[in-house]
Amino acid sequence: MKLGAFSISLSVKDLQKSKDFYEKLGFSSMGGAIEQNYLIMKNGDHLIGLFQAMFDGNMLTFNPGWDQNAQNLESFDDVRDIQKHLKENGVELEKTADETTSGPEHIFLKDPDGNMILIDQHR
């Protein structure tokens, strides 16, 4: 299964303070906007999404169809195919994708310890 780009999505209290902190660790902004309450920060191949007042808790995020630079991949596994594989293997999903559609869609699941995982396809 090709899950695409990986990042950690952090729910932050103060986006500007978090941005300043992660810049001190060598991250720079590569997407999002303070006015939209989220930023995508990058350091080498490492990505962190900072989200203020958009969701509770932190989660692992995968983006099928993208590489670590948010560039489109020529070949990728559609989120609906990933969903089908997970269901066939007994993985319970918190939110499922509409299998009658194509293009952007997402699914949510939890690992055995309750950690949220978002598989978010943008194209």
Side-chain angles (χ1 to χ4, degrees), residues 25-122:
L25 292 178
F27 284 83
S28 58
S29 180
M30 71 167 280
I34 297 261
E35 308 78 46
Q36 296 175 336
N37 290 332
Y38 83 98
L39 292 171
I40 307 301
M41 307 288 291
K42 183 169 181 159
N43 178 330
D45 287 335
H46 308 294
L47 296 172
I48 297 174
L50 306 175
F51 298 87
Q52 182 175 314
M54 294 180 84
F55 53 84
D56 292 327
N58 302 322
M59 68 182 99
L60 304 175
T61 302
F62 297 93
N63 300 112
W66 277 3
D67 67 14
Q68 289 299 107
N69 294 308
Q71 298 299 306
N72 290 341
L73 294 169
E74 190 173 310
S75 172
F76 67 97
D77 292 345
D78 187 271
V79 69
R80 291 154 199 86
D81 295 329
I82 294 169
Q83 172 176 283
K84 182 180 177 186
H85 174 82
L86 294 172
K87 284 181 172 182
E88 287 172 351
N89 285 280
V91 176
E92 185 177 327
L93 302 176
E94 299 287 315
K95 189 264 180 209
T96 58
D98 181 348
E99 294 179 5
T100 66
T101 64
S102 62
E105 181 59 279
H106 65 281
I107 61 175
F108 280 107
L109 57 143
K110 290 183 181 177
D111 74 8
D113 295 300
N115 298 303
M116 288 298 295
I117 300 170
L118 168 64
I119 302 177
D120 190 16
Q121 180 175 306
H122 296 283

